[in-house]
Amino acid sequence: MGFTSTLKGILEMRTIKTFMDDRIPRGEEISAELIKAIGSSMVSIIVFSENYTSSTWCLDELVKIIECKENGQMVKVIPIFYKVDPAEVRHQKGKFGKHLKEHEKKIEDNMKKVQKWRKALTRASNFTGHHYKGNYGPSEFKIIQDISEEILSVKLDCTKISATKYLVGINSRISDVIYRCLDLQSNFSCTLGIYGLPGVGKTTIAKAIFDTIRHRFDGSSFLENVREKSKRNDVVIQLQETLCNEILGYRNLMVGSTSRENNMTIERLYHKRILVVLDDVEKLEKIEFFFENFDRFASGSRIIITTRDKHLLDTLQKYCCVRYYKVKALNVHESRELFCQHAFGRNRPDEDSLELVNQFIHYAKGLPLALKIIGAELYGKTNDEWKSALEKYKRYPNGDIQEILKISYDGLEQPQQEIFLDIACFLKGEKKDFVVDILTSIYCNEPHHDIKRLIDKCLIAVRRDGKLWMHDLIQQMGQKLEQSRLLCYKGAPQVNKGWNAIRGIAVDLPEERNMQLDFKKMKNLIYLKIRNGISEDLEFLSHELRLFEWYGFSLTSFPSNFFLQNLVALRMHGSHIQLDEHFERYRFKSLKYMSFRDCKNIRILPDLSVIAPNIKELDMSRCENLVEVHQSVGLLEKLELWNLNGCKNLKIIPRSLQLKSLRRFRLFGCESLENFLEIQQGTEILVLPSSIGDLTSLSSLHISSKNYTDLPSSFSKLQHLRFLHMSNWENFPKALDTPGCLPKLAKLYFCNSNATTLPEIGSRFPQLGYLNIQGCCKLQEIPRLPPSIKYVDARNCYSLDSQSRRRLLSQFGDMVGLPQNLACVMGPSNQDSLSEMDYDTSKIGSTSEFEMDVASEFETDLASKFPLDWRDSYELLLPGTRIPEWFNHQSVGSSISFSIYNGLKSSAFALCVALKVEIKSGCRGPPL
């Protein structure tokens, strides 16, 4: 078999349609059939052998190929120099020149034709091609293999499956997936799961990735809408047939339904390095056949799955290695561009439409589905029509958007749907533990499994602060589904029947207004959330009530006939309530959360051990007239959070603190405490009670007082303390100046103090990562910090000596891993090392901010150029006016530009900003 026949056979095996002129009868002129074939081809392969120019047919064919390439009809021309020196083709030497001279003699009257041949030969020889030299150099097989890869790349570039017109923000996401998740350079096989919110762009990203990398594989297939196709009984056979047709190149192959035939079908795929995308997968059993023998696929194969259900990806772990990629919503800039493309047909809005555009962007919250649909609906409309549409969307969500979002809800079991609706209508933004306690009380079982299912289905998420989050449009969908059992008070409620069906009330008024609500008829009311609503006629509340949240409650006490034995959370922020003898008669056995924040009428917090013995969180912050806390509160064994911040007139708190479960204690701004006065060396001083050392579960503590001089020696017993905020202390407490006194402390705020020195922090707090000492105007020295440090804020520390600043910068440079002699990609090179830093401290009224923060949006742009373990954050803020010289690419002004090239191997990146600021309050330095 000759070279061209072998090449043709292998290309056809790789599903590349070929046309070869060997079956066309040859005459003096090339046929119309050949001209048509050339004109319709994306790629032409020209095999230059030593006798190529002897054929005028071949030369005319070459001229046509070059014409098609130059007028854009053809994508690529690949010359193969088969045992021929490319220079002979380019300059028509050797046999190439000899044959052309012979042609010149035969057609002396048509020299223009010969000149076209010569020009075409020169042009063709300048294309990038392949040179087969015979016994040395690349083998025929290697050249054929390279050519097939090259053609596949061209073919796939021209036959992209992604037909999305506007692809915004796609490049950074594709790079992130390819470099971070797929690792195409490695030879192992793996599965990548792409998951995220409905409508966030999972399929769009998968298609773009498929188009980008499919040419690197022996075969590829994109199986779209698997969820919809799964409704058919023969879905498995259908998927197998598609795989065989697209990857193996068989046309109209019919796969049988027997197990033996299925195995034979899959067996044909095992010998190829394949790329398969399974789009919108909902149930594992529909694709399980594909993964049961996943380890038998050729090395380097990649399977990509898009799904709304992360748990499905978890289940796949039993078959293969699964990597995860969660698609994030678009940022504000990307959202604006995508919305404007659909709403205006361009990237930016008109000036007079900018405010409206921003409102729609805020409404869509980065969801591409919503941005596209709403943008397209608004195209060509006036501003008045836009305003009207915005108000309509807020009340009546777009049906097309809701239909797609609701698919995930429909896939839930009935109890999970109930929980989803509860979260959407009443519990979004609450801490997960709070939600669990509420739902456990309602449904009589802990909902951890159901909440996890909602998370896996991307309907909700748990933020870093532990709060449940839900996209606004998904929340709007849930509220729409629950509207028959949800009363959102806007003016007079239009409810004439079905009061018993009301499950919850949500009222949020901009200012105080009277409400007419007949609570007596709401026997099944579970959630009550009211802000600024006034209801004088409050004689009854449902015994089923779990959440009572009434901000600005106008009554001074609850009615005497309230019987809220199932109540879990009581929140009365800014209310007129008084915790008087009426309140003391209540017994809230199920109550776990109590908050009277900003209640000005409360003077005494009564005996909660009787009223609410199972309380977990107690918030009395900013109760300015609170004077006394009952001693029993110090004995609540289940109390986990106690907030007394801002109780400026508080004088008496429990002397005995036996709160074994307390994890967070806030005593910030309580300047009037009296019951901890002690006599030391003849002087009456204020100290914290020694029983604070008994709070062995404490992890977070806020304390501030200009009167405190030290902490009790028992403070070192707080071995689990991780966060300590101390403000307005005269000096650093001696009780903390002991090696290893707080071994787990991670964050320390020591602000607005007159201290001049700090202890050896590295040995006292070996795990410290965050140190904030801003406003310590007299502080002169900062000792070397522990290796765990990542953030230091020393703003307004104007007395800090240059040695401390130099030491801090040097330590941060070492931790980031900066080389001793930095050389920037652009700008002059500087040979100063980290130890040779120069500062001008003559103008200490200014502030420099030194930021080495790679966890920002900047990280996203560079994600593909640095290894994963580089992504860490370090930040240092210091007084001064000069940027160190080892930052060798500098500029004056509000911006700086520099280049990052692909070959950059550095594992660190340092940014420095010098800012001149005016200090309006607090400690001041010398005048500017």
Coordinates of all heavy atoms in Angstrom, one line a residue, residues 633-686:
V633 N -27.8 33.6 84.8 CA -27.3 33.5 83.4 C -25.9 32.9 83.3 O -25.6 32.2 82.3 CB -27.4 34.9 82.7 CG1 -26.9 34.8 81.3 CG2 -28.9 35.4 82.8
G634 N -25.1 33.1 84.3 CA -23.8 32.5 84.3 C -23.7 31.0 84.5 O -22.7 30.4 84.5
L635 N -24.9 30.4 84.7 CA -25.0 29.0 84.9 C -25.7 28.2 83.8 O -26.0 27.0 83.9 CB -25.7 28.7 86.3 CG -25.1 29.4 87.5 CD1 -26.0 29.1 88.7 CD2 -23.7 28.9 87.7
L636 N -26.0 28.9 82.7 CA -26.7 28.2 81.6 C -25.8 27.3 80.8 O -24.9 27.7 80.1 CB -27.3 29.3 80.6 CG -28.4 30.3 81.2 CD1 -28.7 31.4 80.3 CD2 -29.6 29.5 81.6
E637 N -26.0 26.0 81.0 CA -25.0 25.1 80.5 C -25.0 24.9 79.0 O -24.0 24.5 78.4 CB -25.3 23.7 81.1 CG -25.1 23.6 82.6 CD -25.2 22.2 83.2 OE1 -25.7 21.3 82.4 OE2 -24.8 22.0 84.3
K638 N -26.1 25.3 78.3 CA -26.2 25.2 76.9 C -25.9 26.4 76.1 O -25.9 26.4 74.9 CB -27.6 24.6 76.5 CG -27.9 23.2 77.0 CD -29.2 22.7 76.6 CE -29.5 21.3 77.1 NZ -30.8 20.8 76.7
L639 N -25.6 27.5 76.8 CA -25.4 28.8 76.2 C -24.1 28.8 75.4 O -23.0 28.4 75.9 CB -25.3 29.9 77.2 CG -25.3 31.4 76.7 CD1 -26.6 31.7 75.9 CD2 -25.1 32.4 77.8
E640 N -24.1 29.1 74.1 CA -23.0 29.1 73.2 C -22.5 30.4 72.8 O -21.3 30.6 72.5 CB -23.3 28.2 72.0 CG -23.6 26.8 72.2 CD -24.0 26.0 71.0 OE1 -23.8 26.6 69.9 OE2 -24.4 24.8 71.1
L641 N -23.4 31.4 72.7 CA -23.0 32.8 72.3 C -23.7 33.7 73.3 O -24.9 33.6 73.5 CB -23.5 33.1 70.9 CG -23.1 34.5 70.4 CD1 -22.8 34.5 68.9 CD2 -24.3 35.5 70.6
W642 N -22.9 34.7 73.8 CA -23.5 35.7 74.7 C -22.9 37.0 74.3 O -21.7 37.2 74.3 CB -23.1 35.4 76.1 CG -23.7 36.2 77.2 CD1 -24.7 37.2 77.0 CD2 -23.5 36.3 78.6 NE1 -25.1 37.8 78.1 CE2 -24.3 37.2 79.1 CE3 -22.6 35.6 79.4 CZ2 -24.3 37.5 80.5 CZ3 -22.6 35.9 80.7 CH2 -23.4 36.8 81.3
N643 N -23.8 37.9 73.8 CA -23.3 39.2 73.3 C -23.9 40.3 74.1 O -25.1 40.6 74.2 CB -23.9 39.3 71.8 CG -23.3 40.5 71.1 OD1 -22.6 41.4 71.7 ND2 -23.5 40.6 69.8
L644 N -22.9 41.0 74.8 CA -23.2 42.2 75.6 C -22.6 43.5 75.0 O -22.5 44.5 75.7 CB -22.8 42.0 77.0 CG -23.6 40.9 77.8 CD1 -22.9 40.6 79.1 CD2 -25.0 41.4 78.0
N645 N -22.1 43.4 73.8 CA -21.5 44.6 73.2 C -22.3 45.8 73.2 O -23.5 45.8 72.9 CB -21.1 44.3 71.7 CG -19.9 43.5 71.5 OD1 -19.2 43.2 72.5 ND2 -19.6 43.0 70.3
G646 N -21.7 46.9 73.6 CA -22.4 48.2 73.6 C -23.4 48.5 74.7 O -24.1 49.5 74.7
C647 N -23.4 47.6 75.7 CA -24.2 47.9 76.9 C -23.5 48.8 77.8 O -22.9 48.4 78.8 CB -24.6 46.6 77.6 SG -25.6 45.4 76.6
K648 N -23.5 50.1 77.5 CA -22.6 51.0 78.1 C -23.0 51.3 79.6 O -22.1 51.9 80.3 CB -22.6 52.3 77.3 CG -23.9 53.0 77.2 CD -23.8 54.3 76.3 CE -25.1 55.0 76.2 NZ -24.9 56.2 75.3
N649 N -24.2 51.0 80.0 CA -24.6 51.3 81.4 C -24.6 50.0 82.2 O -25.1 50.0 83.4 CB -25.9 52.0 81.4 CG -25.8 53.4 81.0 OD1 -25.0 54.2 81.4 ND2 -26.7 53.8 80.0
L650 N -24.2 48.9 81.7 CA -24.2 47.6 82.4 C -23.2 47.7 83.5 O -22.0 48.0 83.4 CB -23.8 46.5 81.4 CG -23.8 45.1 82.0 CD1 -25.2 44.7 82.5 CD2 -23.4 44.1 81.0
K651 N -23.7 47.4 84.7 CA -22.9 47.4 85.9 C -22.7 46.0 86.5 O -21.6 45.8 87.1 CB -23.5 48.3 87.0 CG -23.6 49.8 86.6 CD -24.2 50.6 87.7 CE -24.2 52.1 87.2 NZ -24.8 53.0 88.3
I652 N -23.7 45.2 86.4 CA -23.6 43.9 87.1 C -23.8 42.7 86.2 O -24.8 42.7 85.5 CB -24.7 43.8 88.3 CG1 -24.5 45.0 89.3 CG2 -24.6 42.5 89.0 CD1 -25.6 45.1 90.3
I653 N -22.8 41.8 86.1 CA -23.0 40.6 85.4 C -22.6 39.4 86.3 O -22.0 39.7 87.4 CB -22.2 40.5 84.1 CG1 -20.7 40.5 84.4 CG2 -22.5 41.6 83.1 CD1 -19.8 40.3 83.2
P654 N -23.0 38.2 86.0 CA -22.7 37.1 87.0 C -21.2 37.0 87.3 O -20.3 37.1 86.4 CB -23.1 35.9 86.2 CG -24.2 36.4 85.2 CD -23.7 37.7 84.8
R655 N -21.0 36.9 88.6 CA -19.6 36.7 89.0 C -19.0 35.3 88.8 O -17.9 35.2 88.5 CB -19.5 37.1 90.5 CG -18.1 37.0 91.1 CD -18.1 37.5 92.5 NE -18.3 39.0 92.5 CZ -17.3 39.9 92.4 NH1 -16.1 39.5 92.2 NH2 -17.6 41.2 92.4
S656 N -19.9 34.4 88.8 CA -19.5 33.0 88.5 C -20.0 32.6 87.1 O -21.1 32.7 86.8 CB -20.2 32.1 89.6 OG -19.9 30.7 89.3
L657 N -19.0 32.3 86.3 CA -19.3 32.0 84.9 C -19.0 30.5 84.7 O -17.8 30.1 84.4 CB -18.4 32.8 84.0 CG -18.6 34.4 84.1 CD1 -17.6 35.1 83.2 CD2 -20.0 34.8 83.7
Q658 N -20.0 29.7 84.8 CA -19.9 28.2 84.6 C -20.6 27.8 83.3 O -21.5 26.9 83.3 CB -20.5 27.5 85.9 CG -19.9 28.0 87.2 CD -18.4 27.7 87.3 OE1 -18.0 26.6 86.8 NE2 -17.7 28.6 87.9
L659 N -20.2 28.5 82.3 CA -20.9 28.3 81.0 C -20.0 27.3 80.2 O -19.2 27.7 79.3 CB -21.1 29.6 80.3 CG -21.8 30.7 81.1 CD1 -21.7 32.0 80.4 CD2 -23.3 30.3 81.2
K660 N -20.2 26.0 80.4 CA -19.3 25.0 79.8 C -19.4 24.9 78.3 O -18.5 24.4 77.6 CB -19.5 23.7 80.4 CG -20.9 23.1 80.2 CD -21.0 21.7 80.9 CE -22.3 21.0 80.6 NZ -22.4 19.7 81.3
S661 N -20.5 25.4 77.7 CA -20.7 25.3 76.3 C -20.4 26.6 75.5 O -20.4 26.7 74.3 CB -22.1 24.9 75.9 OG -22.5 23.7 76.5
L662 N -20.1 27.7 76.3 CA -19.9 29.0 75.7 C -18.7 29.1 74.8 O -17.6 28.7 75.2 CB -19.8 30.1 76.8 CG -19.9 31.5 76.3 CD1 -21.3 31.8 75.8 CD2 -19.5 32.5 77.4
R663 N -18.9 29.5 73.5 CA -17.8 29.5 72.5 C -17.5 31.0 72.1 O -16.4 31.3 71.8 CB -18.2 28.7 71.3 CG -18.3 27.2 71.6 CD -18.5 26.4 70.3 NE -19.9 26.6 69.8 CZ -20.2 27.3 68.7 NH1 -19.2 27.8 67.9 NH2 -21.4 27.4 68.3
R664 N -18.6 31.9 72.2 CA -18.3 33.3 71.8 C -18.9 34.2 72.9 O -20.1 34.1 73.2 CB -19.0 33.5 70.5 CG -18.3 32.8 69.3 CD -19.1 33.0 68.0 NE -20.4 32.2 68.1 CZ -21.4 32.3 67.3 NH1 -21.4 33.3 66.3 NH2 -22.5 31.5 67.4
F665 N -18.0 35.1 73.4 CA -18.4 36.0 74.5 C -18.0 37.4 74.1 O -16.8 37.6 73.8 CB -17.7 35.6 75.8 CG -18.2 36.3 77.0 CD1 -19.4 37.0 77.0 CD2 -17.4 36.4 78.1 CE1 -19.9 37.7 78.1 CE2 -17.8 37.0 79.3 CZ -19.1 37.7 79.3
R666 N -19.0 38.3 74.0 CA -18.7 39.7 73.6 C -19.0 40.7 74.7 O -20.2 40.8 75.0 CB -19.4 40.0 72.3 CG -19.0 39.1 71.1 CD -19.9 39.2 69.9 NE -19.5 38.2 68.9 CZ -20.2 38.0 67.8 NH1 -21.3 38.6 67.6 NH2 -19.7 37.1 66.9
L667 N -18.0 41.3 75.2 CA -18.1 42.3 76.3 C -17.4 43.5 75.9 O -16.5 44.0 76.6 CB -17.5 41.6 77.5 CG -17.9 42.2 78.9 CD1 -19.4 42.0 79.1 CD2 -17.1 41.5 80.0
F668 N -17.8 44.1 74.7 CA -17.1 45.2 74.1 C -17.9 46.5 74.4 O -19.1 46.6 74.1 CB -17.0 45.0 72.6 CG -15.9 45.7 72.0 CD1 -14.6 45.2 71.9 CD2 -16.1 46.9 71.3 CE1 -13.6 45.9 71.3 CE2 -15.1 47.6 70.7 CZ -13.9 47.1 70.7
G669 N -17.3 47.5 75.0 CA -17.9 48.8 75.2 C -18.8 48.8 76.5 O -19.6 49.6 76.6
C670 N -18.5 47.9 77.4 CA -19.2 47.8 78.7 C -18.3 48.6 79.7 O -17.6 48.0 80.4 CB -19.5 46.4 79.1 SG -20.5 45.5 77.9
E671 N -18.5 49.9 79.7 CA -17.5 50.7 80.5 C -18.0 51.0 81.9 O -17.2 51.6 82.7 CB -17.3 52.1 79.7 CG -17.0 52.0 78.3 CD -15.6 51.4 78.0 OE1 -14.9 51.2 79.0 OE2 -15.3 51.0 76.9
S672 N -19.1 50.5 82.3 CA -19.7 50.8 83.6 C -19.7 49.7 84.6 O -20.3 49.8 85.7 CB -21.1 51.4 83.5 OG -21.1 52.5 82.6
L673 N -19.1 48.6 84.2 CA -19.1 47.4 85.1 C -18.5 47.8 86.5 O -17.4 48.4 86.6 CB -18.3 46.2 84.5 CG -19.0 45.5 83.3 CD1 -18.0 44.5 82.7 CD2 -20.2 44.9 83.8
E674 N -19.2 47.3 87.5 CA -18.7 47.6 88.9 C -18.4 46.4 89.7 O -17.5 46.5 90.6 CB -19.9 48.4 89.6 CG -20.1 49.8 89.1 CD -21.3 50.5 89.8 OE1 -21.9 49.8 90.6 OE2 -21.5 51.7 89.6
N675 N -19.0 45.3 89.4 CA -18.9 44.2 90.4 C -17.6 43.4 90.2 O -17.4 42.3 90.8 CB -20.1 43.2 90.3 CG -20.2 42.6 88.9 OD1 -19.8 43.2 87.9 ND2 -20.7 41.4 88.9
F676 N -16.6 43.9 89.5 CA -15.3 43.2 89.4 C -14.2 44.1 89.9 O -13.0 44.0 89.5 CB -15.0 42.8 88.0 CG -16.0 41.8 87.5 CD1 -16.6 42.0 86.2 CD2 -16.5 40.8 88.3 CE1 -17.5 41.1 85.7 CE2 -17.4 39.9 87.8 CZ -18.0 40.0 86.5
L677 N -14.5 45.1 90.8 CA -13.5 45.9 91.3 C -12.7 45.2 92.3 O -13.2 44.5 93.2 CB -14.2 47.2 92.0 CG -14.8 48.2 91.0 CD1 -15.5 49.2 91.8 CD2 -13.8 48.8 90.1
E678 N -11.4 45.3 92.3 CA -10.5 44.7 93.3 C -9.4 45.7 93.7 O -9.2 46.7 93.1 CB -9.8 43.5 92.6 CG -10.7 42.3 92.3 CD -9.9 41.1 91.8 OE1 -8.7 41.2 91.8 OE2 -10.6 40.1 91.5
I679 N -8.9 45.4 94.9 CA -7.9 46.3 95.5 C -6.5 45.7 95.3 O -6.3 44.5 95.7 CB -8.1 46.6 97.0 CG1 -9.5 47.1 97.2 CG2 -7.0 47.5 97.5 CD1 -9.7 48.5 96.6
Q680 N -5.6 46.4 94.5 CA -4.3 45.9 94.3 C -3.3 47.0 94.6 O -3.4 48.1 94.1 CB -4.1 45.4 92.8 CG -4.9 44.2 92.5 CD -4.6 43.7 91.1 OE1 -3.7 44.2 90.4 NE2 -5.2 42.6 90.7
Q681 N -2.4 46.7 95.6 CA -1.5 47.7 96.1 C -2.1 49.0 96.4 O -1.6 50.1 96.1 CB -0.4 47.9 95.0 CG 0.4 46.7 94.6 CD 1.4 46.9 93.5 OE1 1.4 47.9 92.9 NE2 2.3 46.0 93.3
G682 N -3.2 48.9 97.2 CA -3.9 50.0 97.7 C -4.8 50.8 96.7 O -5.3 51.8 97.0
T683 N -4.8 50.2 95.4 CA -5.5 51.0 94.3 C -6.7 50.1 93.9 O -6.6 48.9 93.7 CB -4.6 51.2 93.2 OG1 -3.5 52.0 93.6 CG2 -5.4 52.0 92.1
E684 N -7.9 50.7 93.8 CA -9.0 50.0 93.3 C -9.0 50.0 91.8 O -8.9 51.0 91.1 CB -10.3 50.8 93.7 CG -11.6 50.0 93.5 CD -12.8 50.8 94.0 OE1 -13.1 51.8 93.3 OE2 -13.4 50.4 95.0
I685 N -9.0 48.7 91.2 CA -8.9 48.6 89.8 C -10.0 47.6 89.3 O -10.6 46.9 90.1 CB -7.5 48.0 89.3 CG1 -7.3 46.6 89.9 CG2 -6.4 48.9 89.7 CD1 -6.1 45.8 89.4
L686 N -10.3 47.7 88.0 CA -11.3 46.8 87.4 C -10.7 45.7 86.7 O -9.8 45.8 85.9 CB -12.1 47.7 86.4 CG -13.3 47.0 85.7 CD1 -14.4 46.7 86.7 CD2 -13.9 47.9 84.6

